Amino acid sequence: MTRQPVPGEKPLYWIGSSLKDITRFPSDVQRSVGFALSAAQYGGKHPAAKPWKGEGPGILEVVKDYDGDTYRAIYTVRFAQAVYVLHVFQKKSPRGIETRQSDVALVRERLKVAQRDYEERHA
């Protein structure tokens, strides 16, 4: 069943395995990420959403600590008519707060996919 959009709400698109990946997160983490994404869909910014360094403006991340683990969701609000979730993952970097290069590369690639998808849907 497809949910009908509410006036003023931008559609939310999940790139790659992002939707499947978030279903593996604890429900508290899913809820926190969901609140942040909902705010983005209405043009707002959740207090937990911070700029993600690496791909310039319009890329945000939500970081949620839960039960000794850290979870991240990276999404973009660059597009006027949609929000795209680029990557969600459990942080496993062996070096403090630094994000693994494989995750950075995946975000970069999925941003390109989102750009192509947006152009197809909203051209």
Side-chain angles (χ1 to χ4, degrees):
M1 178 174 206
T2 303
R3 185 176 72 78
Q4 293 298 316
V6 176
E9 178 187 30
K10 295 178 185 178
L12 181 68
Y13 300 113
W14 300 79
I15 301 297
S17 63
S18 297
L19 181 58
K20 182 178 81 171
D21 295 340
I22 200 167
T23 64
R24 296 184 187 124
F25 287 7
S27 59
D28 284 352
V29 176
Q30 290 181 36
R31 199 170 11 266
S32 293
V33 170
F35 287 141
L37 293 173
S38 181
Q41 286 181 271
Y42 286 97
K45 182 175 165 282
H46 191 273
K50 307 291 182 212
W52 189 70
K53 296 175 175 81
E55 291 301 313
I59 309 294
L60 302 168
E61 75 174 327
V62 176
V63 178
K64 177 70 174 168
D65 293 325
Y66 180 82
D67 200 25
D69 293 316
T70 301
Y71 299 86
R72 292 185 176 192
I74 301 171
Y75 63 97
T76 184
V77 294
R78 281 188 182 171
F79 308 112
Q81 298 178 42
V83 175
Y84 283 85
V85 181
L86 303 173
H87 187 32
V88 294
F89 60 101
Q90 183 178 350
K91 176 111 171 40
K92 296 184 179 184
S93 175
R95 295 180 303 252
I97 63 171
E98 187 175 319
T99 302
R100 291 185 307 191
Q101 285 304 307
S102 60
D103 289 315
V104 172
L106 187 56
V107 168
R108 187 173 295 126
E109 183 57 36
R110 287 184 175 177
L111 181 59
K112 292 175 188 173
V113 171
Q115 178 71 46
R116 287 191 300 269
D117 183 78
Y118 183 78
E119 290 169 359
E120 288 174 10
R121 289 177 191 263
H122 300 282

